[in-house]
Amino acid sequence: MNYARPSSHSPEAPLTGIPGLLQNWRVDVLSGFLVFLIALPLCLGIAMASGFPPQAGIITAIVGGVLVSRINGSYVTIMGPAAGLIVVILDSVQELGAGDAMAGYRYTLAAVFFAGIIQILMGVMKAGKMSAFFPSSAVHGMLAAIGIIIMAKQIHVMIGVKPEAQTLFQTIGAIPASFRDMNPEVAVIGFLGIGILAVWTFVSNRRLKMIPAPLVVVVVGMALAQYFDLNDEHIYLFLPNAEFMPHHEYTIGPKFLVSLPQNFLAGFAFPDFARVGERLFWQQVFAIALVGSLESLLSAAAVDKLDPYKRASDLNRDIAAVGVGNTICGLIGGLPMIAEIVRSSANINNGARTGWANFFHGLFLLVFVALFPNVIHEIPLASLAALLVFTGYRLASPHEFRKTLEIGWDQLGVFLITIIGVLATDLLIGVAIGVVAEFLFHFWRSINWRDVLGVSRSVEERAPGVFHVEVKGAAFFANYLALKSDLSRIPQGKCVVFDLSQASSIDHTVMENLHHYCEDYRGKGGLAEIRGLDQLVATSNHPLAPRKRSA
C-alpha cells in the first residue's frame, strides 16, 4: 500500500497549568503584552460598532483572558469580542431597545447571559462537532455578509458623518452622500489608518512586523487628534476658495473621540430581564448563541492548525468555557466572546506556548484600563472605524469570491445566496437560506435521489493498525456528523484509508473535512490517504470541488 507520508513530528508540547507557567512565563508574558496592544483598539471599536459602551469590549477581553483561559479546552487561542458578532449584537440592541440605546444594551446583556447558558449546555452535550453540519460556502457567505455590513456602517464613522438611514440598504445607499459631506480632518485620520493597515500587510521585516498595525493606526490617530485639537469643540474652514465644495465650515470636537468613564468600576452595567417572556428576546438569544458558537468553533479549529505543537483543542470544553464567560459578561456589562482568530494567530506568531499568554493579555488590559483611562479617551473614533472597515474588507474581499468560484459555480451560488439572504433578512435566516441552497445543489448533483438523505459507511481494521473507511451513497454536510463521530474513535498513529469509490456524490464540505482530517492525522504521526476519487467527476479542477458519479 502506498500511504501518504506523515509530516514531521511536532516538537514536544509544553507543560500546562502552573508547571506550564513556570516553564514558559517569559515568552507568554511577552506574547500577552503584544496581543494586548492589538486587542485594546479592536475591543473598543467592536464594542462601539455593536451599540455597546466602549468599555464593554475591554470587559469581555479581561474575562476571556483572566478567567476563561483557565478553564477552556484550547491552548493558544485568545478569547474576546470579535467583529463577526457586531451585526447580531447591534441588531439585538436596536430590536430590543426600539430606539432606546441604553435599554437595548441592558436587554441585550440579558440575552448574552442566556446565550451563555445555552453554550454551556452545548458543551455538556458535546455539541462541539456542530460546525461540521454547516456547509462551508454558507459559513463563508455569512462571514462575507458580516464584512459588508461592517464596512457599510463604519465607513460613515471613519469620515465623520452620521447618515439619516434607518435600514441597512439605506445605510449602503448613503455612502456617496457621506463622502460628499465628509468631515475633512476626521477623514484624514480615517483614510490614513486604512493606508497604514494596507501597507503593513506588505511589511516583511520581522522586527517591524512585531509592532501591531492596529497600534500604529491608533498612535498616529492620537497624534493627529492632538494636531487637529479634537479635545476642544470648534469650527474650522476647509478650502474656503474651492467652489466645488458643498460647504467650507466643519465642526470638530470631543464627540469624535472615545468616551470612557474616569472610574473603571463605573463602566460596569447590569442586565434587564424584563423582556424574557417575549419571542423577540429569545430570537436574539439563539442568534447570539448560534453565530457565536459557530464562529468560535471554526476559529478554535483553525488555530489548532497553526499551533506548532499540533495540539488538538477540546472543542466541547472550549464552547462550555465560552458559555461561562458569556454568562459573566452578560451580568457585568460585557459583549459576548468567541475564540478570536486574528489575535490568536498573532499570539502564535509571537511565540506563545500556553494559555497563560491569553491570561496575561487580559491582565494587561485590566491594569491599563484601570490606571490610564485618560489615554483611551484620546483615541479618535475614526481610527477605530478604520480598523473595522479593514476587517470587514478582509471578510468580504474579492479574494473570497474568487476562492469560492475556483471550487465551483454551485459553491459560488451558495456563497452569493447566503450573502443576499443575510443582507435582506438577518444572520439566522440568511444562513438557513444558504443551507437550503446547498441542499438543493446536492439534490441536483445526486444520481440516485434516494441517496440524498442517506450515506452508508463502515470503519474496519482490516490489518493490524490499518483502518479502512468505506463510504457509499451520497456524502454531504447534513450526514457528515455521523462519519465524523466514527472517525473520532480511530486511535492516533495508525494507517487510515478512505475508499470513496462507491460514493454516488460528495459535496465540498465533506471533501474539505476529509482533507483536513488527513492533514491533522498525518501531523500527529499517522498515515492517511483518500482513494476512489477517480471514479467520480469533479465540478471544477479544484482538489476540494464537489464530485458525483458520471451517468
Side-chain angles (χ1 to χ4, degrees):
M1 290 187 181
N2 295 319
Y3 296 105
R5 296 299 306 164
S7 58
S8 58
H9 287 284
S10 54
E12 184 178 351
L15 301 174
T16 58
I18 298 300
L21 173 63
L22 297 175
Q23 181 190 55
N24 305 290
W25 69 268
R26 289 180 179 84
V27 289
D28 284 346
V29 167
L30 176 60
S31 182
F33 178 74
L34 293 173
V35 173
F36 145 72
L37 296 177
I38 300 173
L40 178 62
L42 289 175
C43 289
L44 295 169
I46 290 166
M48 298 184 71
S50 302
F52 273 38
Q55 189 168 309
I58 296 175
I59 290 172
T60 300
I62 292 170
V63 173
V66 175
L67 174 64
V68 176
S69 71
R70 302 298 84 227
I71 59 174
N72 65 348
S74 54
Y75 298 93
V76 284
T77 52
I78 298 295
M79 299 292 182
L85 282 175
I86 287 175
V87 175
V88 68
I89 297 301
L90 181 60
D91 180 67
S92 178
V93 171
Q94 293 174 340
E95 291 291 326
L96 295 177
D100 187 335
M102 181 52 68
Y105 168 46
R106 295 185 63 211
Y107 290 138
T108 301
L109 289 179
V112 171
F113 171 81
F114 283 109
I117 297 294
I118 292 173
Q119 289 174 316
I120 293 172
L121 294 175
M122 289 170 63
V124 171
M125 294 187 294
K126 301 190 181 303
K129 59 186 179 182
M130 65 167 280
S131 60
F133 171 79
F134 294 91
S136 298
S137 295
V139 173
H140 292 145
M142 177 193 76
L143 294 174
I146 289 171
I148 292 169
I149 295 170
I150 291 171
M151 285 190 290
K153 292 181 178 294
Q154 291 301 306
I155 281 174
H156 304 282
V157 180
M158 191 181 79
I159 57 180
V161 178
K162 188 173 183 179
E164 296 295 330
Q166 301 299 319
T167 67
L168 173 62
F169 289 108
Q170 287 175 351
T171 303
I172 294 173
I175 291 175
S178 290
F179 273 101
R180 181 195 65 207
D181 299 328
M182 64 182 176
N183 191 314
E185 291 185 353
V186 175
V188 166
I189 296 173
F191 284 129
L192 191 57
I194 288 287
I196 291 169
L197 292 168
V199 169
W200 221 255
T201 60
F202 298 101
V203 172
S204 57
N205 184 282
R206 189 174 179 275
R207 290 187 179 277
L208 192 59
K209 202 75 173 175
M210 289 283 284
I211 304 172
L215 176 65
V216 179
V217 170
V218 166
V219 170
V220 171
M222 292 171 69
L224 286 173
Q226 290 293 319
Y227 178 76
F228 294 138
D229 195 18
L230 263 63
N231 275 307
D232 297 312
E233 185 166 340
H234 61 276
I235 296 173
Y236 69 96
L237 293 177
F238 182 75
L239 299 180
N241 298 320
E243 296 183 2
F244 66 88
M245 296 285 292
H247 54 87
H248 305 283
E249 287 189 354
Y250 298 90
T251 302
I252 205 84
K255 68 179 182 180
F256 293 104
L257 297 172
V258 173
S259 177
L260 206 66
Q262 290 297 313
N263 182 355
F264 175 65
L265 295 178
F268 289 92
F270 305 101
D272 186 340
F273 294 98
R275 303 194 66 172
V276 166
E278 299 179 21
R279 177 182 173 185
L280 177 62
F281 177 84
W282 288 99
Q283 286 178 345
Q284 305 304 329
V285 170
F286 284 107
I288 295 168
L290 179 62
V291 175
S293 300
L294 182 58
E295 284 198 54
S296 196
L297 291 170
L298 292 171
S299 296
V303 171
D304 282 352
K305 299 182 190 307
L306 301 176
D307 184 1
Y309 299 99
K310 302 299 179 187
R311 293 166 290 190
S313 297
D314 182 341
L315 296 181
N316 296 312
R317 182 172 174 179
D318 221 43
I319 201 66
V322 167
V324 171
N326 284 339
T327 57
I328 294 171
C329 288
L331 291 174
I332 62 176
L335 283 164
M337 71 181 66
I338 67 168
E340 209 284 324
I341 183 67
V342 175
R343 275 158 268 168
S344 298
S345 58
N347 191 39
I348 293 169
N349 292 335
N350 294 336
R353 295 178 184 173
T354 73
W356 287 105
N358 188 9
F359 174 87
F360 286 119
H361 124 272
L363 189 62
F364 282 124
L365 279 168
L366 174 61
V367 171
F368 188 85
V369 176
L371 299 182
F372 308 108
N374 289 333
V375 176
I376 295 176
H377 176 65
E378 300 297 322
I379 299 174
L381 298 180
S383 294
L384 302 181
L387 296 177
L388 294 176
V389 169
F390 191 75
T391 300
Y393 174 79
R394 292 176 66 178
L395 288 172
S397 69
H399 173 71
E400 294 298 323
F401 289 78
R402 186 169 61 251
K403 186 171 67 174
T404 307
L405 176 59
E406 288 174 355
I407 300 170
W409 282 101
D410 57 339
Q411 296 307 298
L412 180 63
V414 174
F415 183 77
L416 292 174
I417 288 168
T418 305
I419 290 175
I420 294 169
V422 171
L423 296 180
T425 57
D426 60 35
L427 279 172
L428 288 183
I429 295 175
V431 172
I433 291 171
V435 170
V436 171
E438 175 67 24
F439 179 81
L440 292 175
F441 276 116
H442 179 74
F443 189 84
W444 169 71
R445 276 194 301 268
S446 297
I447 298 301
N448 187 346
W449 288 358
R450 288 175 297 180
D451 287 341
V452 168
L453 292 176
V455 62
S456 174
R457 67 197 188 279
S458 63
V459 180
E460 299 178 10
E461 189 175 7
R462 294 191 174 179
V466 179
F467 290 83
H468 190 270
V469 182
E470 186 176 33
V471 177
K472 298 180 181 179
F476 76 124
F477 69 93
N479 57 35
Y480 176 71
L481 285 178
L483 176 59
K484 183 176 182 179
S485 180
D486 291 344
L487 296 178
S488 68
R489 290 192 283 271
I490 297 177
Q492 297 294 330
K494 308 297 182 181
C495 298
V496 181
V497 180
F498 289 95
D499 180 4
L500 305 181
S501 61
Q502 300 302 310
S504 60
S505 65
I506 307 171
D507 78 348
H508 165 61
T509 302
V510 174
M511 286 297 302
E512 186 176 54
N513 277 289
L514 292 181
H515 173 74
H516 289 326
Y517 176 86
C518 290
E519 274 192 339
D520 293 344
Y521 199 81
R522 293 170 195 149
K524 294 169 184 173
L527 299 161
E529 70 168 13
I530 299 174
R531 295 179 177 177
L533 292 179
D534 57 332
Q535 304 295 316
L536 304 169
V537 178
T539 59
S540 74
N541 293 325
H542 195 279
L544 303 181
R547 287 164 163 77
K548 68 176 181 179
R549 187 171 297 280
S550 57

